[in-house]
Amino acid sequence: MKAKKHYNLGMKKTFCLLLTLFFTAAVFSQVLNNSQIIESGHWIYKTFENLSAETTIGNFTSNTPVTVGQLRMHFKEYDREALSTTGKTKYDRAEAFLLTQKNLFPGKLFQAEVGIDFAPEFCYKSNEEIDWAWNYYYNDNPVNMDLGVGISDYFCMGGRFFLGKNWYYSSQPDNLTNIPLGFDQYEFMFPRFAYSSFGYTGEGWGLNLNTGKEGLTIGNTRTGSILYNKTFETDGYVQLAAYTDDVKYTMNVAEVSPEKFLYWHQIDVRLFKKIKLGAMEGALVNRPFELRFLNPMVVYHSYAFWKNFTNDIEDHYYNEGYCCSYLGLTFEINPVKYLRLYGLYAMNEIQLPNEHHDKWLSYPDSLGGQLGAELTIPSDFGGYWQGGLEAVYCSPFLYVKQSPDWSLYRARKDNVKWNTVNSWIGSPFGPDTLAFDFDFSYEKPEKWSAGLEYLLCFKGENGFKLFDEENYKDCSWKNQSEKIWTYYPYTKYVIADDNDSQSGRDQAVEEGRNMWMSGVCQTTHQLGLEGNWNFTSKLSLKGKFIYSFVINARHISENFQQGMQCALSCQYKLF
């Protein structure tokens, strides 16, 4: 018995020692290898933005996430001696992160990392009629664990696991914390960030194939990309990327949900090191996976795939079905030191001049634009003064098609209350929006930051409520009967035409041609304050305060609401 006790004690000691060694090695791990994917929103992307502002050298880090190999390639273009004192501080931190590699198996092919942090948050809002300004997609979780393993420089896989509160309880008006206070409050749909990646980075070029779950972003913006934002939920995606310093090509397939796939390819070029231009073409298909959309040289529109899937009655009411074309254009310019200009354009429907007649006028022009300017100026106090202005416009039917099944959004069920959780592919504001955002801040790198933000948002009635069951009705045509979605202006025109209603036709055309906010416009004025203090490299404190004035709240005329929201969070990085 004694021998058995000593044996068990020895095994426990050995296990604890190995665990301690593993964690100790992982604490100081910066990156694993060139194939590692760095999550969207990571501080390294903001650092690259600051360095680009100082040097006027742009790169392809606005579309995230990207690999460590690509980041290292771009990082070589920055000249440390050309930077301000603040810029050099940022440069040194990025260099330590990207170029220092420590793990459990130094000098070996196999790498491993573990990172654990705690980030409890407490929040409060005074008016339940005003939605949370920072919601489920932006809140951190109280317990997070980063796991990753790699082999040489050519393979890596990892993810960010967490214990946190689910969508339903996070969105409740009386929510006070991100800590789950009961078993039914836990989020079981994790991790949200998870990937595997194969790739190679040479001198000035690279190739990567990766698969992930969600979190892609096209464009570095302040209020969320109108083209493809990280808040868009997907079941998974596969991405092929080939890049040099001046050209990058990506091909993507995202599984929005079973039998709903989004295919797109994108080309980005850099001119004179200051100007970046990008174009993407996409095709969302509400049908099983298709190989034809994987051809990198084909123009999707040439397939005329919108006529491939409908039956006669669907073709009558919708004119097309089970698919959505998607086009995006981007630019980003660093014209002079400290200044960044950017713009994005998104479109899923537009009527050409030769189509401006009869029922085709009821087809809405579904498009949006986003323009912004950022100024980042080093101060004599070892920090950055930063200011930004952004304008966002989304037409009433941007992202929306004749049916929710082939609209550019995702619907899933919450795993606790089985409520529907929706997310748009692009701007979190959704369609039918005009917004202006201004912010001003000061940052002392690795010490503290403080900022002021003002948001003015006009929001029309079009949104997820278009997809309510009340708009799904029985319709008959030529002795055929089928349930049809009836919210789309073109479908309304066809129904009016079948009933020989001129007033119905006129109303459908008016709705299709309208490019301002629909229905009762909700107007929001929002003033926010935010601050962050780093006590040590491991411990930080963050506070947020927002006061909102909402006119025609919930799209009810003369319904005025006002109120404050605040949050205080603390982060401690254990490993």
Side-chain angles (χ1 to χ4, degrees):
M1 282 295 284
K2 255 186 199 180
K4 191 171 182 181
K5 276 187 183 177
H6 285 306
Y7 174 80
N8 288 339
L9 187 60
M11 285 295 290
K12 288 179 182 177
K13 287 182 177 179
T14 303
F15 177 78
C16 291
L17 178 61
L18 288 173
L19 199 62
T20 302
L21 287 172
F22 182 79
F23 281 159
T24 303
V27 169
F28 303 104
S29 175
Q30 302 300 300
V31 295
L32 289 174
N33 58 33
N34 279 341
S35 296
Q36 183 177 352
I37 302 289
I38 303 299
E39 185 179 6
S40 297
H42 193 279
W43 63 262
I44 192 67
Y45 296 118
K46 182 65 176 178
T47 296
F48 270 64
E49 179 190 319
N50 295 149
L51 298 180
S52 292
E54 284 207 40
T55 60
T56 71
I57 296 176
N59 50 53
F60 301 126
T61 57
S62 295
N63 302 340
T64 59
V66 300
T67 63
V68 168
Q70 185 181 337
L71 290 170
R72 285 171 171 171
M73 184 187 75
H74 294 317
F75 188 71
K76 291 178 182 178
E77 293 193 292
Y78 297 128
D79 178 7
R80 186 181 186 279
E81 299 310 310
L83 300 171
S84 65
T85 302
T86 308
K88 288 175 181 176
T89 302
K90 289 261 187 175
Y91 181 97
D92 292 342
R93 186 186 182 199
E95 183 178 47
F97 175 75
L98 292 172
L99 304 181
T100 303
Q101 185 188 47
K102 295 181 181 178
N103 64 82
L104 184 60
F105 311 101
K108 301 296 182 181
L109 290 176
F110 183 78
Q111 304 109 17
E113 72 161 353
V114 174
I116 298 177
D117 66 82
F118 302 99
E121 180 178 84
F122 299 92
C123 55
Y124 170 78
K125 71 173 182 175
S126 63
N127 189 336
E128 64 179 21
E129 293 299 314
I130 301 176
D131 293 332
W132 284 106
W134 45 86
N135 59 27
Y136 171 82
Y137 297 103
Y138 294 101
N139 286 344
D140 204 351
N141 294 291
V143 182
N144 301 280
M145 176 181 286
D146 294 307
L147 298 175
V149 295
I151 300 176
S152 186
D153 254 344
Y154 310 117
F155 171 75
C156 193
M157 64 180 182
R160 185 167 175 82
F161 296 81
F162 64 86
L163 294 176
K165 186 173 283 189
N166 57 44
W167 174 87
Y168 177 80
Y169 284 100
S170 295
S171 61
Q172 293 304 297
D174 59 352
N175 180 38
L176 294 175
T177 178
N178 65 347
I179 302 172
L181 301 178
F183 187 75
D184 63 336
Q185 296 189 12
Y186 278 93
E187 176 60 270
F188 297 103
M189 301 183 70
F190 64 84
R192 290 202 287 266
F193 173 69
Y195 71 92
S196 62
S197 169
F198 299 84
Y200 175 79
T201 302
E203 191 61 38
W205 70 280
L207 186 68
N208 180 261
L209 176 66
N210 70 80
T211 178
K213 187 177 184 297
E214 57 188 59
L216 292 173
T217 298
I218 298 177
N220 177 15
T221 65
R222 311 191 80 76
T223 59
S225 167
I226 64 163
L227 200 49
Y228 197 114
N229 198 51
K230 65 181 181 181
T231 52
F232 182 47
E233 292 192 3
T234 56
D235 285 335
Y237 66 84
V238 176
Q239 180 183 82
L240 173 67
Y243 51 87
T244 69
D245 288 323
D246 296 313
V247 180
K248 183 176 182 180
Y249 170 81
T250 54
M251 181 171 66
N252 306 266
V253 181
E255 184 179 344
V256 181
S257 56
E259 296 199 1
K260 187 173 183 178
F261 293 90
L262 176 65
Y263 311 84
W264 79 96
H265 43 203
Q266 181 173 345
I267 184 75
D268 294 277
V269 297
R270 184 180 69 166
L271 306 173
F272 317 113
K273 292 192 175 183
K274 296 173 179 283
I275 302 172
K276 290 185 295 177
L277 304 175
M280 66 89 79
E281 182 196 21
L284 182 140
V285 181
N286 183 217
R287 279 296 183 263
F289 181 79
E290 293 195 56
L291 285 174
R292 60 176 170 165
F293 292 105
L294 299 186
N295 189 332
M297 298 305 292
V298 77
V299 176
Y300 295 155
H301 210 68
S302 66
Y303 287 135
F305 52 92
W306 51 90
K307 288 292 188 181
N308 292 165
F309 311 112
T310 54
N311 58 34
D312 289 342
I313 193 169
E314 289 171 335
D315 197 53
H316 173 70
Y317 284 108
Y318 297 146
N319 184 53
E320 57 184 280
Y322 301 98
C323 61
C324 175
S325 296
Y326 197 41
L327 174 70
L329 302 172
T330 66
F331 77 83
E332 188 171 321
I333 306 172
N334 295 96
V336 295
K337 251 189 171 186
Y338 313 133
L339 178 64
R340 182 175 79 99
L341 306 175
Y342 60 90
L344 296 87
Y345 174 78
M347 180 181 77
N348 60 275
E349 186 65 58
I350 193 167
Q351 293 305 97
L352 300 176
N354 64 314
E355 297 174 309
H356 284 188
H357 61 87
D358 302 328
K359 63 181 178 181
W360 306 113
L361 283 169
S362 63
Y363 249 100
D365 292 333
S366 307
L367 50 85
Q370 189 169 21
L371 292 172
E374 289 182 345
L375 201 57
T376 304
I377 302 175
S379 77
D380 295 333
F381 310 107
Y384 277 127
W385 295 104
Q386 298 175 326
L389 178 65
E390 182 173 285
V392 180
Y393 169 73
C394 300
S395 69
F397 285 91
L398 179 63
Y399 314 133
V400 179
K401 292 294 285 183
Q402 294 90 334
S403 164
D405 293 335
W406 57 90
S407 292
L408 293 161
Y409 94 115
R410 156 74 180 256
R412 67 167 173 87
K413 293 297 183 182
D414 174 68
N415 59 356
V416 175
K417 299 292 185 179
W418 302 108
N419 299 79
T420 300
V421 181
N422 299 308
S423 58
W424 296 109
I425 187 175
S427 172
F429 296 132
D432 216 3
T433 298
L434 176 65
F436 302 92
D437 183 83
F438 168 77
D439 69 86
F440 178 76
S441 64
Y442 184 82
E443 177 195 11
K444 178 84 169 177
E446 301 182 58
K447 297 294 184 181
W448 62 274
S449 65
L452 171 70
E453 182 177 16
Y454 169 69
L455 173 69
L456 170 62
C457 181
F458 302 95
K459 183 75 178 79
E461 290 191 24
N462 281 4
F464 295 125
K465 78 169 195 172
L466 289 174
F467 308 142
D468 288 348
E469 285 294 321
E470 65 187 37
N471 291 322
Y472 195 43
K473 301 176 181 178
D474 288 310
C475 293
S476 299
W477 175 73
K478 288 188 177 180
N479 298 320
Q480 300 179 65
S481 181
E482 192 167 313
K483 299 261 305 177
I484 296 294
W485 289 98
T486 59
Y487 59 79
Y488 203 67
Y490 177 85
T491 304
K492 290 180 179 180
Y493 187 102
V494 173
I495 293 172
D497 201 41
D498 288 345
N499 292 286
D500 196 24
S501 170
Q502 186 58 46
S503 62
R505 288 189 286 255
D506 292 342
Q507 186 176 350
V509 169
E510 181 182 354
E511 187 176 348
R513 292 299 90 205
N514 175 49
M515 299 299 283
W516 179 242
M517 310 299 99
S518 64
V520 178
C521 180
Q522 174 181 284
T523 303
T524 301
H525 299 268
Q526 187 172 283
L527 185 66
L529 298 170
E530 186 171 323
N532 187 76
W533 183 271
N534 297 318
F535 295 99
T536 69
S537 60
K538 290 179 174 291
L539 180 64
S540 62
L541 187 69
K542 185 176 184 178
K544 297 178 285 188
F545 175 87
I546 284 176
Y547 202 92
S548 301
F549 302 91
V550 186
I551 303 167
N552 297 335
R554 311 264 184 212
H555 306 287
I556 301 171
S557 294
E558 300 182 4
N559 179 24
F560 175 75
Q561 301 289 336
Q562 61 177 314
M564 57 86 74
Q565 300 179 22
C566 59
L568 185 66
S569 63
C570 175
Q571 184 183 53
Y572 181 74
K573 299 176 182 178
L574 183 61
F575 300 118

